[in-house]
Amino acid sequence: MEIRVLIIDDHPIMRVGVAAMMAHCKDMKAVAFAGTGEEGLKYLAGQPVDIVLLDLRLPGISGLQTLLEIGRKHPDTRVIILTTYEGDEDVHRSLKAGARGYLIKGLPTETLVAAIRKVHGGGKYVPVPLSKSLAERTAETCLSPRECEVLEMLAQGKSNREIGLALGIRESTVKCHVSVILTRLDVNDRTQAVVVGLQRGFLHLYKPA
């Protein structure tokens, strides 16, 4: 039986390229493309597929939001994240939200095909380097939702006072949050915190339209 695949990615060249990677496989086919999460969900409402290859970086609703909606409305559809984001927080959030696989763009054709087949067969697929990053996660190295908010404002160059006003908390509380962020990300200053936050996926500079 042919594995029906929907590709959701906002870059047309990427969609065509991924479809071409599957073209030589008789057991799978890219049956549809979508440039946004909304378009992907609309397609799924009328034409269920076996596998969705989903980018996290999308205009409109995010890839993570799209993933949650697919899980809610189409629980039998299996999703593989295919993205440029390789931070452990991105992987953790995606798997927690229901993704069955996680791949980084630029992968060999053999890896993509193997992942699709394994996930379609009921398994999960996460490359070894990403699995190791997940294994190294501890409560002491992760940020809370509030700390992520503070980190985002640090990336915007806001002062402690400005962050406090924006979040409705005292400046002294902001200082405590910043101190915790530096400790958990194992850095010495705010700039380093932003860099590591981006690397690990606690922060993204890209904002969907």
Side-chain angles (χ1 to χ4, degrees), residues 102-153:
Y102 197 104
L103 300 172
I104 303 301
K105 290 181 178 179
L107 76 169
T109 298
E110 295 77 13
T111 302
L112 175 66
V113 170
I116 291 173
R117 287 172 177 159
K118 185 170 183 179
V119 170
H120 181 256
K124 290 188 176 182
Y125 194 102
V126 179
V128 173
L130 298 183
S131 294
K132 288 182 177 179
S133 295
L134 284 177
E136 294 170 357
R137 287 172 59 89
T138 66
E140 289 72 29
T141 63
C142 297
L143 304 182
S144 69
R146 173 63 87 184
E147 288 157 0
C148 287
E149 287 181 314
V150 172
L151 180 62
E152 183 172 338
M153 293 188 181

Side-chain angles (χ1 to χ4, degrees), residues 136 138-143 147 151 177-197 199-200 202:
E136 294 170 357
T138 66
E140 289 72 29
T141 63
C142 297
L143 304 182
E147 288 157 0
L151 180 62
H177 283 312
V178 173
S179 178
V180 170
I181 290 170
L182 298 182
T183 298
R184 291 188 172 179
L185 297 185
D186 192 25
V187 296
N188 298 318
D189 58 46
R190 298 154 78 102
T191 300
Q192 291 178 347
V194 171
V195 172
V196 173
Q199 292 172 341
R200 292 190 55 194
F202 289 109

Side-chain angles (χ1 to χ4, degrees), residues 11-65:
H11 291 91
I13 294 177
M14 185 67 194
R15 297 196 297 264
V16 172
V18 172
M21 294 169 73
M22 292 185 284
H24 71 287
C25 300
K26 295 182 179 180
D27 62 337
M28 64 184 68
K29 180 181 180 180
V31 297
F33 307 95
T36 66
E38 292 91 342
E39 290 176 2
L41 290 168
K42 183 177 181 180
Y43 180 86
L44 288 172
Q47 300 288 334
V49 301
D50 302 301
I51 299 288
V52 174
L53 295 178
L54 174 65
D55 191 5
L56 289 179
R57 174 173 169 163
L58 294 171
I61 64 172
S62 70
L64 191 61
Q65 291 172 309

